[in-house]
Amino acid sequence: MSAPARYAASSYALPPLPDGAALELTSLDASDAERLGVVFAAMDPWRSYGYPAAPLQAMMTANEPGIPCFAIRLDGNVVGAILIQPLWLRGPYLRFLALEPIAQNRGVGGALLAWLESEARAAGERNLWVVASQINTGGIRFYERAGFHQAAAFDGLAYDDRVELLFRKRLAD
Ligand SMILES: CC(C)(COP(=O)(O)OP(=O)(O)OC[C@H]1O[C@@H](n2cnc3c(N)ncnc32)[C@H](O)[C@@H]1OP(=O)(O)O)[C@@H](O)C(=O)NCCC(=O)NCCS
């Protein structure tokens, strides 16, 4: 078995999107995190939950050791953020992924899941993990299309009257 995937580089250049746009992951600076926090709080699923901008911003700037947070750049512009917990259950846990509305439905999310998976496979990991709210039907469709399957449901995990769903993609045969 190889060493676990750590997503430890300071930046990654991913293959261009089908429309030719350049896709990169870089460090996320505080001003972009502040702006994205406001954008994401106004967007579902966080808008429906009444989740404010400040904790979203704090999560993106926490700099927890070993938990990288990257800015998602499309043609050089920061359009989202991705936060990865590399060492979870025999594979990485995708803690957070969000794109500004203008960057959605262009294949960016799919490209990021493909990258997450290829890094994990290269390290011999067995699983990818992510949690989505039951109300986030678009997000659930996105992960299921990418080969994730519901592994567990948690009542009241984040809110008393809501359900959070854990999804797993098996990488091992
Ligand atoms: C969920 C999310 C990360 C997906 O990223 P994305 O870049 O929009 O995803 P993709 O473009 O790869 O695929 C999504 C949709 O675009 C379509 N699509 C993919 N490539 C496309 C392209 N080149 N052109 C047009 N549509 C495309 C897909 O068919 C899919 O359609 P759907 O509406 O049936 O689901 C993003 O939409 C987002 O940030 N949503 C809000 C936050 C959120 O829900 N995050 C997940 C929380 S767990």
Side-chain angles (χ1 to χ4, degrees), residues 46 97-99 104-110 131 136 141-142 145:
W46 300 284
L97 169 60
L99 296 166
Q104 294 178 10
N105 298 320
R106 291 180 59 180
V108 175
V131 168
N136 189 1
R141 194 170 59 230
F142 167 71
R145 187 182 297 115

Side-chain angles (χ1 to χ4, degrees), residues 22-149:
L23 180 58
E24 265 181 296
L25 301 179
T26 66
S27 61
L28 179 66
D29 70 34
S31 63
D32 282 319
E34 186 173 355
R35 182 180 60 79
L36 289 175
V38 173
V39 172
F40 296 157
M43 226 170 76
D44 282 333
W46 300 284
R47 182 176 64 93
S48 296
Y49 273 155
Y51 201 88
L56 285 166
Q57 179 195 342
M59 177 182 57
M60 289 184 273
T61 51
N63 289 322
E64 279 182 63
I67 314 269
C69 181
F70 295 105
I72 301 165
R73 286 182 186 267
L74 208 47
D75 282 336
N77 302 309
V78 174
V79 295
I82 182 169
L83 185 53
I84 301 161
Q85 185 160 337
L87 304 175
W88 209 58
L89 289 176
R90 303 297 299 269
Y93 168 50
L94 177 53
R95 267 212 206 171
F96 183 80
L97 169 60
L99 296 166
E100 292 187 57
I102 198 172
Q104 294 178 10
N105 298 320
R106 291 180 59 180
V108 175
L112 292 170
L113 291 185
W115 166 78
L116 187 77
E117 177 172 337
S118 73
E119 294 285 307
R121 282 189 185 278
E125 297 285 22
R126 297 178 60 84
N127 306 282
L128 302 178
W129 300 96
V130 69
V131 168
S133 268
Q134 198 174 43
I135 60 165
N136 189 1
T137 51
I140 290 170
R141 194 170 59 230
F142 167 71
Y143 291 118
E144 287 183 337
R145 187 182 297 115
F148 285 76
H149 297 279

